[in-house]
């Protein structure tokens, strides 16, 4: 986590986007953040997973999650960056194994860019590690 200040803004927070709302936001200097992002999943006719629910964004073939950087002012979210966690790289076999076992599929994301600033844009493979075994 990059810290509580960025480009002159204090109280920087990281949250996850559910629909159009940012929820579960935590301070930008938290030592660890865990988001519980429940998703439903179906298999597409092409054989890939289709993630569904209020946390899933994008088209069927381009599903992703948003991790959002911003500040809270009078209870309102003022965002300034988002990181896109792609779900399309997860093969059906991995997803189906987690569904069958009931074990969550977990991702560890490094939330700072090479400059130590809040990570934004599409999360590159070097910044994310998926636990693929249930």
């Amino acid at each position: 986590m990059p810290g509580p200040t960025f480009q002159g803004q204090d109280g920087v927070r990281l949250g996850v986007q559910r629909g159009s709302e940012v929820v579960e936001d935590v301070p930008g200097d938290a030592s660890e953040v865990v988001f519980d992002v429940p998703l439903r999943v179906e298999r597409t006719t092409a054989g890939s997973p289709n993630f569904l629910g209020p946390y899933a964004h994008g088209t069927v073939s381009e599903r992703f999650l948003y991790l959002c950087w911003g500040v809270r002012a009078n209870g309102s979210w003022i965002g300034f960056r988002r990181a896109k966690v792609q779900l399309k790289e997860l093969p059906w076999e991995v997803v189906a194994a987690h569904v069958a076992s009931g074990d969550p599929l977990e991702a560890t994301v490094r939330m700072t860019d090479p400059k130590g600033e809040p990570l934004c844009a599409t999360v590159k493979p070097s910044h994310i590690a998926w636990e693929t075994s249930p």
Side-chain angles (χ1 to χ4, degrees):
M1 297 287 280
T5 60
F6 178 68
Q7 295 183 342
Q9 296 187 70
D10 292 322
V12 170
R13 301 181 68 79
L14 175 67
V16 62
Q17 188 169 328
R18 181 179 66 206
S20 60
E21 178 184 24
V22 176
V23 297
E24 299 182 40
D25 50 290
V26 298
D29 60 352
S31 60
E32 180 179 284
V33 180
V34 176
F35 295 117
D36 183 17
V37 180
L39 297 167
R40 297 183 322 278
V41 65
E42 297 173 350
R43 190 172 187 172
T44 67
T45 55
S48 60
N50 178 21
F51 296 93
L52 303 164
Y55 293 92
H57 300 276
T59 64
V60 172
S61 62
E62 296 288 327
R63 290 281 194 242
F64 59 89
L65 307 173
Y66 272 135
L67 300 177
C68 304
W69 294 102
V71 295
R72 289 269 173 204
N74 300 321
S76 295
W77 180 258
I78 302 168
F80 58 80
R81 283 189 171 183
R82 292 192 294 191
K84 185 185 283 188
V85 177
Q86 295 286 348
L87 300 172
K88 66 182 180 181
E89 305 301 325
L90 294 167
W92 175 254
E93 294 74 21
V94 168
V95 174
H98 280 271
V99 169
S101 72
D103 290 332
L105 182 58
E106 296 179 8
T108 301
V109 183
R110 186 175 43 160
M111 292 305 300
T112 54
D113 68 14
K115 296 178 185 176
E117 296 178 346
L119 183 67
C120 64
T122 298
V123 176
K124 295 182 179 4
S126 62
H127 278 69
I128 189 167
W130 290 95
E131 179 206 307
T132 57
S133 299

